[in-house]
Amino acid sequence: MFYVHERMNIYEKNTVISLTATLLAANISFAVPAFADDLQTYNLDTMVVTAQRESKRDVDTPASVITVSQKQLVETGASNLFDALRLQSGVTTYSYGGSQSLGGMNAKILMRGANKGTVVMIDGVPANINETYYLDSIPVESIARVEIVKGAASTLYGSEASTGVINIITKKKMPNTLSLTKGEYGREKAALTLNANKLNFAVALEQSDPMKGYSSNYKQINDLNKKSFTASYKFDDNWSFSHQHNDSKYSYDQYDKTWSKLTEDANYHYIDDFSRLQYKDDSVSANLFYNRSNRRNQTYNVTGSKWTKSDHLRFDTIGLDLQKQITGKFGDVIVGTTVSRDSYKNDITVAKNIKPGTKINEFRTNYAVFAQLSKDLGAGYTATVGARETVVEANKRYNAFTPQFALLKKLDNNSSLYANAAKSFKMPTFTQIYGGGGANFAANPLLEPEEGWTYEFGYKKTSNTSMFKAALYYMDLDTIEYEGKGTSSNPYVTRNMSFKNKGLEMTYEKDFGSKYSYSLGANFCNPMGKNKKGVWERKFAREQYNAGIKYHDAKFNAALTGMFTTDRASGWGDLLPVNFIAGYKFDKSSSVELGVENIFDRDDIVSNPGSATKYYCLPRMVHVTYTYTF
């Protein structure tokens, strides 16, 4: 029988919280170890490029930004980007057992309690496909750093950037390494990175055994048969080309309520490709990009001995993004344009869900122009004004004007206050308009785009050894949500829904001595959505605390990290993932790493609190990684 989730008693919970606070814990999974002689302590006052489309010090940027360096990614021990980011302060995640995706239900990183609105980019190029992205398929070996911008960013990045941006900046030069990982429950990974002058490669293969008994709907997740290949070529100082190919095969077995009788076998095969031709000099950048996602699903009914479902969806995007920076007596100006064309092919689902006579437009053309002016007003004040005009030709014409205003006050060279107000805009997806995800998800051609405003006030202070950030925000958005009609015969429908949230975010990082560092984070918010009856309902969680402590020298490194999430929606129990990683470097060529995930062996619910199905985190896992550098 499916075991019941066992919550800690008050004594155990207080003991865990005290231990976590004492050890100052925050992250882990699989990777290569980091050492002081080859990965020097990063500068806490980092340069960031995503928030304003130009390189600036974090303390000079009027936005809430998290920069995760290559060193920090390595220290998480994570094999993929979702695991590396899921314990970052101020983000909400949910998945379907560990970090898995299950069909169209992808493992997600959300910003400030909103269910959608995070745009994922690779080197500044959008990688979202039909509002989905698969961070669990991106290996950390290919990544130089990640910048996370929280808050509306539609002015600079358009649709889908309504609540935040994750910009994955890949390595320009790969090291020559081979790493092999062996863990419990059949978890295995092999990763290879190579550099041949201007040409770079990264290959990762990952798999695991089936995991049974970790969902309340009696699905056995047969996850992790993932392949990833990344190649990049640098023609000269200005031109470069890169391509990433992800191939993921996974399935789930549906059992009866006794977990003994197999009733259904569903198989998924997702192939994603991302190509980017890029030009960049001191003032001009251009990105020509092409994204494709092929998604196949076949379901076999064991009891009836027949195939009951076979879907094939294909999404393609081709686009061009141009940007020009101009510095003059009126200030720093950025002007640009983005043109893209999306296409959508659905072999079966559209015919089932769309109403007779409805015109199906399988193409969508997006036109946008944007501009941003930053001006030094004197006395430490800098004002930034931006605007974007977007026109989308789809099943009908959509227009959106998204302005943004920001004011930053430098208190001194290392501290600042800022205020930011931005309007967001997000188009409905192809499947929301025309149907998708099976016959249970109906089409709604009458959907309007998501729009709304986000207001934010922040404070930043940095030094050579510490960084403190605080942000107070308010969000008022019209979002799109799936909502059931209440009976098994009626499908889920999409509708526009009001969403509000207000919150306070705080983080503190500190290096002490030459070998130790720690981080702390606290987040308080109140995300609310209005249901079809006009009643405001809780969304996600109201409180989150992060902490971590790290040690590193020339030979040895260790990190203990964790997150405590409480006051969750739907009355669901607290989340407390705590992980440990330690590595030892024998010489310049060989190193070994030991990692332990979910130290307290908790069976926390990791899926969306609004879901009818509860997915639980995986049990305590131990893994060992050997890395050879040549």
Side-chain angles (χ1 to χ4, degrees), residues 152 160 199 206 253 300 303 342 373 399 494 531 547 598 603 628:
E160 296 195 46
L199 187 62
E206 192 174 357
D253 293 332
Y300 184 76
T303 304
D342 307 322
L373 168 66
N399 293 79
T494 51
N531 64 23
N598 190 11
D603 43 336
Y628 178 72

Side-chain angles (χ1 to χ4, degrees), residues 449-583:
E450 300 184 9
E451 292 187 337
W453 283 86
T454 296
Y455 308 91
E456 182 176 326
F457 300 90
Y459 171 74
K460 300 179 182 181
K461 183 175 178 59
T462 186
S463 71
N464 291 332
T465 60
S466 66
M467 180 68 153
F468 174 76
K469 301 179 186 179
L472 185 68
Y473 64 87
Y474 175 73
M475 304 164 62
D476 186 358
L477 311 176
D478 287 326
T479 63
I480 297 174
E481 298 288 343
Y482 281 101
E483 190 168 61
K485 289 187 176 181
T487 64
S488 59
S489 60
N490 286 320
Y492 287 91
V493 296
T494 51
R495 68 175 184 88
N496 293 98
M497 181 188 75
S498 296
F499 172 84
K500 293 183 179 182
N501 191 15
K502 53 187 175 182
L504 171 65
E505 302 169 338
M506 296 181 291
T507 59
Y508 181 70
E509 300 176 68
K510 174 70 176 178
D511 293 341
F512 58 102
S514 61
K515 299 180 180 180
Y516 293 93
S517 63
Y518 68 86
S519 60
L520 297 168
N523 297 271
F524 310 94
C525 63
N526 187 29
M528 304 285 287
K530 186 181 290 187
N531 64 23
K532 60 184 177 182
K533 297 180 180 179
V535 178
W536 289 94
E537 295 180 333
R538 289 273 313 279
K539 299 285 183 180
F540 299 104
R542 287 177 173 169
E543 297 180 39
Q544 180 193 94
Y545 305 91
N546 305 69
I549 187 168
K550 301 173 184 178
Y551 172 86
H552 57 87
D553 61 21
K555 288 287 187 180
F556 179 74
N557 76 290
L560 180 65
T561 56
M563 172 190 289
F564 179 60
T565 304
T566 187
D567 199 3
R568 301 176 72 192
S570 302
W572 286 12
D574 302 331
L575 274 169
L576 184 58
V578 179
N579 310 302
F580 173 76
I581 187 171

Side-chain angles (χ1 to χ4, degrees), residues 336-354:
T337 183
T338 302
V339 180
S340 64
R341 185 169 176 84
D342 307 322
S343 65
Y344 167 56
K345 298 287 186 182
N346 191 333
D347 291 351
I348 294 180
T349 311
V350 168
K352 291 182 179 180
N353 285 335
I354 201 74

